Amino acid sequence: MGKQQSATKKLLKILGILVVLIIAGGVLANLMGWMDGGENEKSVTSAEAELRTITQIVSASGRIQPEVEVIIRPDVSGEVIELNVREGDFVREGDLLLRIKPDIYQARIDELNAMLLTQQSRMEQARSTKLQAEIEYQKNKQLYDRDLISELEFMQSENNFESQKSNFKAAEYQIESARAQLRRAEEELQQTVIRSPKDGTISRLNIERGERVLGNAQTAGTEMMRIARLNQMEVEVEVNENDIVNVSVDDTTDIEVDAYPNRSFLGRVTEIANSADITGTGSAEQITNYKVKIRITTPHNLNAGPEAQIVQVSDQESPAGPPSPIFKPGMSGTVDIRTNTAVDVVAVPIQAVTVRDFAGESADSDTTGSETTEQKRSSGSDEDFRRVVFLNDNGVAKRVEVETGISDNTHIQILNGVRAGDEVITGSYRVLSRDLNNGDAIRVTNSQQLASN
């Protein structure tokens, strides 16, 4: 008998627990909206349209490079017998960088000097022969005028005189040619001494003393070194054709460099390419980009110039703030270009704007400012896609057609259709993009958060 009472108590206890769980589940379902409204009521999230400043951003990635960089190639070939710089050295315009062995070019000058003297000697001989032919010609002319010699003898002397004048002219031209060759050889000798064309830092050094280099007369010549202004760097990025129309010279930018995480640097657009770089031409994956150069305006590479010692002293005196960045050519970076800014405009979260097909609906719907369905169909189109947002109208979704402007990473400008303070539906994505229709009953799950805000 005692065992039966114990089993009965256990059963009643289990039934009580089940009843409590059922009641709790019903309360939870009621709070979550699973019971109210049945299948027709949709659970959504919302946010208020507000006045805010929107800045349109075009993002692109690229690499850091010097704004000014000069490649040094020799004009003449030969062995490097003197090298006066190392990579990283700062040089002034006119400083001696290196010397190429001049022996062969000096020998060429000696050879051409001897050739010039030879040509000058031949010219003097031609001058003497010409004078002799001229005297003979004048003499025979007098004799011919007095009929003392035949016409044939006179014509021979005349022809000889003209021939000797031509020979003398040819000797003069040969001297000019020899002098031109000598000037060229002297220029080549001077080109064995290479000096810096401008102030800058040796950003790359590809040769060592004793190496042989090839001059520009053969192919492109050997790239010996590069001189760059490292205290003025830029970022070269590629911007897609869809975004390049929004970018202008002097647009301000934020630059993030992989080598300096959690830091942002300022920049300014200085150059926009007119010609496109096209990859995958003729294929479905064709990409058209334009190169854009952005000058880094945040002070950097302060130790890359002759003022390095002064800068180091001043940095030691004022250690506050992060140290000046040191950018090197080839570093990766990401750029956010601020293209357009709209101040105090009505804005809603980007996800609140969706697209609906108005084809087949009556022209007197709740939207304004676009072509009617009849106009669309008369033009031969079976689709009429328009941008809309859904407002919370006392628990009912109200579809409103909108005209949008610029956008940033989170919000989009609304030109008309929505006013500041309107409660727009922002989610979920599945509900907004497919399920939600004009006039549907809705339940806002974040209404308490809106009230508290």
Side-chain angles (χ1 to χ4, degrees):
M1 188 70 180
K3 292 183 178 179
Q4 291 180 352
Q5 291 179 351
S6 177
T8 302
K9 290 181 180 180
K10 288 183 179 179
L11 180 60
L12 292 175
K13 188 175 182 180
I14 293 173
L15 290 176
I17 294 174
L18 290 176
V19 171
V20 172
L21 290 176
I22 292 172
I23 295 173
V27 173
L28 178 62
N30 184 55
L31 290 175
M32 296 299 294
W34 299 340
M35 298 179 63
D36 293 343
E39 295 180 354
N40 295 327
E41 190 173 70
K42 296 180 174 63
S43 177
V44 298
T45 59
S46 65
E48 284 189 359
E50 59 183 352
L51 295 178
R52 62 187 295 145
T53 298
I54 295 180
T55 300
Q56 188 176 35
I57 300 295
V58 172
S59 298
S61 58
R63 295 193 177 277
I64 293 177
Q65 64 185 22
E67 191 171 282
V68 177
E69 186 172 43
V70 179
I71 300 177
I72 306 297
R73 303 179 190 270
D75 291 317
V76 296
S77 303
E79 177 187 348
V80 178
I81 60 173
E82 182 180 344
L83 183 61
N84 296 325
V85 294
R86 295 178 298 177
E87 187 165 332
D89 287 352
F90 182 84
V91 294
R92 292 282 193 183
E93 181 178 352
D95 286 353
L96 177 63
L97 302 178
L98 59 93
R99 294 180 187 271
I100 297 174
K101 191 173 183 179
D103 296 8
I104 187 173
Y105 302 101
Q106 184 62 57
R108 177 64 175 164
I109 289 177
D110 295 341
E111 178 185 358
L112 291 175
N113 273 321
M115 184 183 298
L116 178 61
L117 293 175
T118 301
Q119 295 297 336
Q120 288 175 341
S121 176
R122 289 176 179 175
M123 187 189 71
E124 293 302 323
Q125 290 178 356
R127 186 196 304 274
S128 176
T129 304
K130 185 194 74 165
L131 291 175
Q132 184 178 354
E134 183 179 7
I135 293 172
E136 185 177 353
Y137 164 73
Q138 295 294 341
K139 177 182 177 182
N140 287 340
K141 186 176 185 303
Q142 293 176 0
L143 294 175
Y144 176 72
D145 290 340
R146 291 184 288 176
D147 294 330
L148 296 178
I149 60 173
S150 65
E151 183 179 0
L152 179 61
E153 289 179 306
F154 171 69
M155 292 182 65
Q156 287 178 343
S157 64
E158 184 180 19
N159 291 338
N160 182 50
F161 176 50
E162 295 295 331
S163 175
Q164 295 305 323
K165 285 199 298 183
S166 298
N167 290 338
F168 178 71
K169 281 290 184 184
E172 287 182 328
Y173 294 149
Q174 288 176 350
I175 286 179
E176 290 300 323
S177 175
R179 285 174 177 168
Q181 294 182 51
L182 180 60
R183 287 195 298 270
R184 178 179 177 180
E186 291 173 343
E187 180 68 21
E188 289 179 344
L189 180 62
Q190 292 178 2
Q191 289 169 354
T192 61
V193 178
I194 298 179
R195 299 183 180 276
S196 174
K198 58 176 55 189
D199 296 355
T201 302
I202 307 296
S203 60
R204 179 182 297 181
L205 184 62
N206 298 328
I207 60 170
E208 295 288 346
R209 182 175 176 274
E211 288 188 26
R212 294 191 61 84
V213 293
L214 194 64
N216 282 324
Q218 293 82 20
T219 67
T222 303
E223 180 181 328
M224 300 185 297
M225 64 183 71
R226 296 189 180 191
I227 298 177
R229 293 181 56 186
L230 295 182
N231 57 351
Q232 187 54 72
M233 306 291 280
E234 66 182 8
V235 185
E236 185 178 75
V237 299
E238 292 188 347
V239 178
N240 188 266
E241 60 180 325
N242 297 324
D243 296 324
I244 194 65
V245 294
N246 297 320
V247 180
S248 303
V249 174
D250 290 334
D251 282 348
T252 57
T253 67
D254 292 322
I255 304 170
E256 294 182 358
V257 181
D258 294 351
Y260 290 92
N262 303 321
R263 290 186 65 179
S264 179
F265 309 99
L266 300 179
R268 181 173 61 85
V269 176
T270 57
E271 185 177 328
I272 302 173
N274 292 314
S275 301
D277 290 339
I278 303 176
T279 58
T281 305
S283 67
E285 299 178 355
Q286 177 174 319
I287 299 175
T288 303
N289 291 327
Y290 291 81
K291 292 188 181 299
V292 176
K293 294 182 178 180
I294 295 111
R295 173 181 295 167
I296 303 176
T297 56
T298 300
H300 55 275
N301 293 7
L302 298 180
N303 60 343
E307 301 84 2
Q309 297 298 327
I310 301 175
V311 172
Q312 290 174 1
V313 171
S314 62
D315 287 346
Q316 291 175 0
E317 293 176 354
S318 56
S324 172
I326 300 177
F327 297 134
K328 294 184 178 296
M331 284 184 172
S332 301
T334 302
V335 176
D336 289 335
I337 306 173
R338 294 188 284 270
T339 57
N340 298 311
T341 299
V343 181
D344 290 338
V345 295
V346 178
V348 300
I350 290 179
Q351 66 271 20
V353 180
T354 186
V355 176
R356 286 291 189 273
D357 185 4
F358 280 55
E361 298 185 9
S362 60
D364 57 350
S365 62
D366 57 357
T367 61
T368 59
S370 298
E371 295 178 277
T372 65
T373 304
E374 288 75 7
Q375 291 173 327
K376 286 288 184 178
R377 288 184 172 178
S378 64
S379 64
S381 174
D382 294 333
E383 296 178 338
D384 183 13
F385 289 106
R386 308 182 194 178
R387 291 188 174 187
V388 300
V389 298
F390 287 90
L391 302 181
N392 180 11
D393 186 10
N394 297 320
V396 176
K398 179 182 178 182
R399 186 183 65 186
V400 177
E401 184 181 353
V402 295
E403 182 180 355
T404 59
I406 64 175
S407 63
D408 57 17
N409 293 331
T410 59
H411 287 73
I412 186 169
Q413 178 187 7
I414 303 297
L415 300 177
N416 58 58
V418 176
R419 295 176 298 179
D422 289 347
E423 185 180 352
V424 298
I425 298 173
T426 60
S428 65
Y429 173 78
R430 182 181 63 82
V431 172
L432 269 178
S433 61
R434 294 186 304 176
D435 299 342
L436 192 61
N437 294 309
N438 188 42
D440 285 352
I442 58 173
R443 178 182 178 83
V444 179
T445 59
N446 63 333
S447 57
Q448 294 181 353
Q449 297 178 6
L450 288 174
S452 63
N453 291 336

